Amino acid sequence: ERCIPRGWPRQCITRATMAGHPEVGVVSRPMDELVVKNSKYAKGCEELHMANKNIIKLADFDHFENLEVLWLNDNRIRQLSGLDANFRIKELYVHNNAIATLRDSSISEMTFLHVLTLFNNRLSDLSSALGELSRLRHLEKLDLFGNPLAEEKDYRLHVIKQLPWLHVFDRHVITDDERLAARKLKPLATDLTAAMAGAGGASKSAEKEAAAKTQAFQPTAEASAKTE
């Protein structure tokens, strides 16, 4: 395991590696992965490996503001929170964890994300997951296999339809035939589109109600004549 900062590819070795065994804990302590534990060294870190650390909760990543590649696979992470400050991340490896939802996670902040491995987690709601992933317009490679949501009907085609900018999905290059089939598929109602549709429906209802009230207060021609 190593942290690879800008300009320091050979020197930023973790203390855990130097000791010959990883430190085990349930809350992440990324600063402990550095030989020099200070914010300046953390700020220069662009790649950090924290796999197989028995991590359940993510914390203390705020100083790693230039982080671009983060390995958190093979832990026990339940939610991808605590990474809001790391919006520059381009590659995130979180496979083999216990992530059950992407709602209220830091994923929405990672707008530069190119690679995301989420296979072998506990994601069960395809609609909800796609609602969050649809914000990541630079995402090129995505892995979701091994999650309960992969059992949903037309799972692969729904992902391709909702995320047309993907190049590789579940370790297979997306073909032109798959893109064509996905375009013909009935859209899957995601949380994001449902929310937008709900907002639009509420707006139209409000407009109709206002129009009805306006019409109710407008005098008819007969009423006007009587008044005169």
Side-chain angles (χ1 to χ4, degrees):
E1 297 176 355
R2 69 175 62 232
C3 159
I4 306 176
R6 186 186 294 112
W8 301 338
R10 295 175 60 86
Q11 298 173 346
C12 193
I13 312 298
T14 68
R15 289 186 178 277
T17 302
M18 293 171 64
H21 56 82
E23 180 181 353
V24 177
V26 294
V27 178
S28 65
R29 298 169 61 182
M31 196 68 76
D32 285 356
E33 299 299 305
L34 308 179
V35 174
V36 181
K37 300 179 183 178
N38 61 42
S39 58
K40 181 180 178 180
Y41 203 73
K43 186 176 181 179
C45 188
E46 293 183 344
E47 180 167 350
L48 186 63
H49 289 236
M50 296 187 67
N52 293 292
K53 295 284 183 182
N54 201 32
I55 297 170
I56 291 178
K57 182 179 179 180
L58 300 175
D60 301 327
F61 281 90
D62 291 354
H63 292 297
F64 295 78
E65 57 189 72
N66 289 308
L67 200 60
E68 294 186 358
V69 182
L70 180 58
W71 298 79
L72 290 168
N73 54 289
D74 296 280
N75 282 293
R76 294 191 293 145
I77 299 168
R78 297 171 183 172
Q79 187 170 13
L80 281 174
S81 57
L83 299 173
D84 289 4
N86 311 107
F87 61 89
R88 292 183 176 86
I89 289 180
K90 296 179 180 179
E91 298 180 20
L92 180 61
Y93 301 91
V94 284
H95 50 276
N96 296 330
N97 273 286
I99 300 167
T101 182
L102 297 180
R103 286 183 180 178
D104 301 320
S105 72
S106 299
I107 282 289
S108 59
E109 304 295 330
M110 301 178 186
T111 54
F112 298 103
L113 203 60
H114 291 172
V115 178
L116 177 60
T117 63
L118 276 163
F119 63 86
N120 293 341
N121 273 281
R122 298 177 183 175
L123 297 169
S124 58
D125 189 336
L126 182 59
S127 173
S128 175
L130 289 178
E132 299 299 324
L133 294 173
S134 62
R135 306 171 192 268
L136 309 177
R137 297 305 177 94
H138 295 288
L139 194 62
E140 298 178 353
K141 180 181 178 182
L142 173 67
D143 289 330
L144 288 174
F145 64 88
N147 284 281
L149 57 72
E151 302 300 320
E152 295 191 28
K153 184 180 179 181
D154 295 320
Y155 147 75
R156 182 174 175 84
L157 293 181
H158 277 303
V159 174
I160 295 171
K161 184 179 184 68
Q162 192 68 23
L163 311 176
W165 47 84
L166 282 180
H167 295 314
V168 181
F169 176 51
D170 282 352
R171 298 183 178 179
H172 293 282
V173 175
I174 298 172
T175 66
D176 291 338
D177 288 342
E178 286 179 319
R179 294 189 188 280
L180 180 60
R183 283 197 293 268
K184 296 178 180 179
L185 194 67
K186 183 178 179 181
L188 182 69
T190 65
D191 288 353
L192 185 62
T193 55
M196 293 174 64
S203 178
K204 290 180 180 178
S205 297
E207 290 176 1
K208 289 181 179 179
E209 185 177 351
K213 288 181 179 179
T214 301
Q215 187 175 2
F217 283 105
Q218 287 180 346
T220 62
E222 183 178 355
S224 299
K226 288 182 179 180
T227 303
E228 293 176 356

